[in-house]
Amino acid sequence: MIQRPLGRAYWWFERQSLCTAVHQLLAMLELEHGFRVVDVHARLEPDEARRPREGIGNPERLEREMHQAGVVRAVVYPDDREEGYLKANNAVARMSVGRPLVAFARINGTRDPGVGAGSRLKNITASRKEFHTSPDEIEQYAYDDRFVGFKVHPVADGLPDDEVLDQLAEVGKPVLVHGGQGFPPSAVEQHFLSRDFPVILGHFGAYPLQRELMHESIDLLDEYDECYLDTSAVRLRDPMERAIMEHPDRVCFGSGAPSVHPNVAVMEILTLDVPEDAMKKVFSNNPTRVIEELAP
C-alpha cells in the first residue's frame, strides 16, 4: 500500500491538484446566467515571444473564455512595452477585426506619477521623446475607427503631460486608468477627473487589493459624474456591494482577463447581494453607456 506523503509536502501536492481541477472545470463550464455581459477590461499580447506562458493574450483563447462566461463583447488593449505603443496598438486593432473585441489605444507619458520631491524634480526637466504619445497621436487614434478609447497605466508607462491630457479632453473618448498603490484615487482625481472625458478607474483604483483605496474611489463617485469604476481584480465583495448599491449607474464589469478567467469575474458579480436590476446595469447598461461600441 502506498503511504501518503506527510506535512507540508502532502498539503502542497493536494493544493496543486485542486488548482488544476478547478482550472479544468472552469474550462469546461459554460455559465448560464441570462445576462448580456460586456467586459471593459481585457488584455491582448500581440508578440508571442513576450508571453509568459502559452496562450496568454491569445485572441482565440480570450474569445473562447468569453464564450464560456457568457461575455459577448470586450475592450482590449496591449500588454506593457518599454518604448512606445504604436505597433502594439495597431496589432491589437488587427487582432480585433472579425471578433467580439473593441480596441483601446494604450498611451504613455513623460511624467513620473509620484508625489515626492524626486518625482517633482524629474518632472521639471521631463521632455517628450519620440516614443512618447503626442497630442497629434491622440487625435489620430481618436479619428481612427479601429480605436474607441484609451488605456493609461501611469506607473508602468509614465503620466501623460498636460498637452496630451488636454487633447484627450478635446476628443472626449473614454479613458481606462490603471489605479492602485502607485497611482491612488487622489492622483486620478488631480490629473484626470478635472478634465472633460469619461474616466473608467480600473480595479476600483486599488490594485492590488487595497481596501481603503477602494472606498476612496467609491467616494469619488459622489463628486464626479464622469467617473466609473471597473470590477477587474477587485475580489472583495463588501466594496463592490457598497459601490453598486450607492451608485448603481457607475460600476462597469471588467474581467481583467487573461490574468483572471472571465468565468471567475462573472461569478463574483453573480454572487453579490445586490438586486438583479443592478447586476444588469453593471454587466451591460453602464459599460455600453460609456463605450457605445459595446452595445448590441
Side-chain angles (χ1 to χ4, degrees):
M1 178 177 179
I2 299 175
Q3 298 294 320
R4 286 185 171 184
L6 300 177
R8 288 182 178 271
Y10 177 63
W11 175 87
W12 181 89
F13 177 79
E14 287 289 291
R15 185 175 183 274
Q16 294 301 107
S17 298
L18 177 62
C19 290
T20 300
V22 169
H23 180 77
Q24 291 173 343
L25 178 62
L26 285 172
M28 295 185 293
L29 181 64
E30 291 190 11
L31 296 182
E32 296 183 5
H33 43 65
F35 292 100
R36 181 182 188 272
V37 182
V38 295
D39 185 348
V40 303
H41 198 135
R43 189 181 73 249
L44 287 181
E45 179 48 76
D47 183 356
E48 292 188 14
R50 293 174 58 92
R51 294 176 191 164
R53 61 183 186 274
E54 181 63 28
I56 290 297
N58 181 289
E60 289 79 15
R61 174 173 172 171
L62 175 60
E63 191 171 359
R64 181 173 65 252
E65 292 182 350
M66 287 170 54
H67 175 76
Q68 292 165 359
V71 177
V72 299
R73 195 161 294 173
V75 168
V76 290
Y77 61 86
D79 204 357
D80 297 354
R81 290 292 189 278
E82 293 182 359
E83 294 195 352
Y85 286 98
L86 179 61
K87 291 182 179 180
N89 286 334
N90 287 332
V92 166
R94 287 194 301 271
M95 294 162 73
S96 301
V97 174
R99 294 188 171 97
L101 308 174
V102 294
F104 268 29
R106 186 162 176 169
I107 62 176
N108 59 12
T110 61
R111 294 189 293 177
D112 189 307
V115 296
S119 295
R120 291 195 295 270
L121 180 62
K122 181 178 178 181
N123 289 337
I124 290 174
T125 59
S127 60
R128 200 182 302 134
K129 296 181 173 60
E130 183 179 351
F131 58 83
H132 286 129
T133 307
S134 69
D136 288 343
E137 286 177 292
I138 296 296
E139 185 175 16
Q140 291 169 12
Y141 283 131
Y143 296 107
D144 185 333
D145 291 340
R146 300 177 303 162
F147 300 101
V148 303
F150 298 93
K151 160 72 177 182
V152 182
H153 191 329
V155 173
D157 299 326
L159 182 65
D161 57 41
D162 286 335
E163 291 182 349
V164 171
L165 292 174
D166 289 342
Q167 188 61 44
L168 286 172
E170 182 70 23
V171 300
K173 288 187 177 290
V175 178
L176 174 62
V177 180
H178 181 104
Q181 274 185 308
F183 199 70
S186 58
V188 177
E189 180 179 24
Q190 176 184 351
H191 295 288
F192 290 94
L193 293 179
S194 60
R195 300 174 187 270
D196 191 20
F197 52 78
V199 173
I200 305 170
L201 184 47
H203 318 298
F204 266 42
Y207 189 84
L209 289 176
Q210 301 296 304
R211 186 186 296 270
E212 183 176 341
L213 294 185
M214 292 180 189
H215 287 288
E216 288 180 21
S217 297
I218 298 169
D219 291 339
L220 291 177
L221 302 180
D222 290 323
E223 301 182 47
Y224 298 97
D225 292 339
E226 289 206 278
C227 180
Y228 299 82
L229 306 181
D230 93 37
T231 62
S232 60
V234 175
R235 303 288 85 88
L236 304 178
R237 63 184 301 168
D238 288 349
M240 283 202 285
E241 289 178 348
R242 178 200 162 194
I244 293 170
M245 295 303 292
E246 293 182 9
H247 301 277
D249 297 323
R250 310 285 286 286
V251 180
C252 300
F253 173 73
S255 69
S259 298
V260 178
H261 194 294
N263 263 350
V264 174
V266 169
M267 283 300 301
E268 286 181 337
I269 306 300
L270 293 176
T271 53
L272 295 178
D273 186 16
V274 299
E276 184 175 314
D277 183 62
M279 289 185 185
K280 182 178 179 181
K281 291 181 178 181
V282 171
F283 280 138
S284 182
N285 294 3
N286 298 342
T288 55
R289 189 171 64 253
V290 186
I291 306 167
E292 295 179 359
E293 291 79 3
L294 294 175

